[in-house]
Amino acid sequence: MSRAWDTSRAAWFYPFRGVYYFASHRFLWPLFKTRLIPIVLLSAFIYVLLFLFAYLPQVAFLAIFQGASAWINGAFLVLGEGAVVVAALFEAFFVDETLVDIFDAVLVNEGHGELVTTSRVLYPQGDDVVQRLGKPIRSAVYAPFSLRQIVEFIVLLPLNFIPVAGTPMFLVLTGYRAGPFHHWRYFQLLDLPKQQRKERIRRRQLQYTTFGTVALVLQLVPVLSMFFLMSTAVGSALWVVDLENKHDQIGRRPGQVGDFREYHDEDNNLIP
């Protein structure tokens, strides 16, 4: 049990590590400033509208079944609805491109530039890591747009009507689906076929679920949701760094990418 809660290893802690890493590495800040400040203001406007016009009616309806807890679950319900709208805005404003830059920049900064070069040009010099990132030489997607994920998110929203357990169920089930999407870029860099990708997700599904659940909770924070989206991309990249470092420790040659040997780590979790 103590190993499961070891913050240096637990998947659920990587989103928090991403927040600290983002805040402490100035080369990432311009990616937030130049791309997302206008969207942050717009998302704040959306949340204000939802809480003004949708919160109290939904609380009144929930109170019929839940009593006093309706105030809390109603807030999660409105935040979830806002997250759907904000997610649509992310796609509309091409934020995914920013997430790719963040993910790749962290890998390069942590010494795994050879992995990034499978997908984009890296310049040998630059004022900082971000300036070294060149144009992608093939498709570069942090997380693909998934209509199914959005539909499932909307379908699961009514779970918040269930007293006490409803909101945690909603968060975990949504995290179950969303977690693996945070490593889509990693799978893309490794050029994994669909079957191998599915197998790796299956073996690490619990870890992806905890990661996705924590990431979702952070992204439900009004106004800061977009910042947490980017910091979660940092946390995802840091998780990849640790996985790649473990690969190197078992004898992978420097610069060798896509070695799919399997081994057991000291937690007895199968990791590719």
Side-chain angles (χ1 to χ4, degrees):
M1 180 63 68
S2 60
R3 287 181 177 180
W5 291 95
D6 182 356
T7 55
S8 67
R9 307 165 53 84
W12 62 267
F13 196 67
Y14 281 102
F16 297 110
R17 288 182 59 187
V19 172
Y20 175 78
Y21 192 97
F22 193 103
S24 60
H25 290 76
R26 297 178 63 91
F27 66 84
L28 293 172
W29 297 358
L31 294 174
F32 176 77
K33 180 179 178 181
T34 60
R35 297 287 184 89
L36 297 182
I37 286 182
I39 310 180
V40 167
L41 297 176
L42 186 58
S43 67
F45 176 71
I46 290 171
Y47 279 113
V48 169
L49 287 181
L50 286 174
F51 272 97
L52 284 177
F53 298 104
Y55 178 58
L56 290 179
Q58 291 180 122
V59 168
F61 181 77
L62 289 172
I64 299 174
F65 308 97
Q66 302 181 7
S69 65
W71 293 96
I72 297 176
N73 290 340
F76 274 100
L77 187 59
V78 171
L79 290 173
E81 293 162 351
V84 172
V85 177
V86 170
L89 289 175
F90 289 166
E91 296 296 329
F93 285 87
F94 306 105
V95 174
D96 192 85
E97 179 182 343
T98 301
L99 298 180
V100 168
D101 289 344
I102 290 173
F103 187 90
D104 291 355
V106 172
L107 290 183
V108 174
N109 193 58
E110 295 300 312
H112 292 281
E114 78 285 348
L115 190 59
V116 177
T117 58
T118 63
S119 177
R120 73 190 307 167
V121 174
L122 283 183
Y123 299 121
Q125 295 179 340
D127 294 336
D128 56 43
V129 175
V130 174
Q131 296 297 321
R132 292 183 56 200
L133 299 178
K135 295 290 185 180
I137 57 178
R138 57 177 175 156
S139 175
V141 178
Y142 176 76
F145 176 78
S146 173
L147 179 61
R148 176 181 175 182
Q149 185 181 5
I150 293 178
V151 170
E152 288 179 348
F153 189 97
I154 296 173
V155 169
L156 291 173
L157 275 175
L159 286 174
N160 290 278
F161 292 117
I162 301 175
V164 184
T167 296
M169 288 172 58
F170 165 75
L171 295 173
V172 171
L173 289 175
T174 306
Y176 175 89
R177 174 65 62 182
F181 280 92
H182 289 282
H183 268 179
W184 184 272
R185 176 61 175 163
Y186 181 39
F187 300 147
Q188 191 178 55
L189 292 174
L190 292 177
D191 197 22
L192 286 181
K194 182 178 180 179
Q195 189 58 40
Q196 288 184 326
R197 185 171 68 244
K198 291 174 64 176
E199 179 64 19
R200 278 154 179 75
I201 291 173
R202 184 191 63 81
R203 289 203 304 265
R204 204 178 290 126
Q205 185 64 71
L206 178 60
Q207 293 171 294
Y208 280 128
T209 299
T210 58
F211 183 99
T213 301
V214 172
L216 175 62
V217 171
L218 291 176
Q219 289 167 35
L220 290 179
V221 177
V223 182
L224 294 177
S225 59
M226 293 195 181
F227 167 76
F228 285 130
L229 178 71
M230 292 192 300
S231 65
T232 296
V234 174
S236 173
L238 292 175
W239 188 3
V240 169
V241 168
D242 287 345
L243 292 175
E244 287 295 298
N245 287 342
K246 288 179 181 178
H247 280 219
D248 292 339
Q249 289 172 4
I250 64 170
R252 187 171 62 181
R253 298 187 301 276
Q256 182 179 358
V257 176
D259 187 345
F260 303 136
R261 289 175 296 174
E262 299 174 349
Y263 65 94
H264 291 273
D265 69 2
E266 56 194 59
D267 266 342
N268 293 323
N269 291 324
L270 192 61
I271 294 179

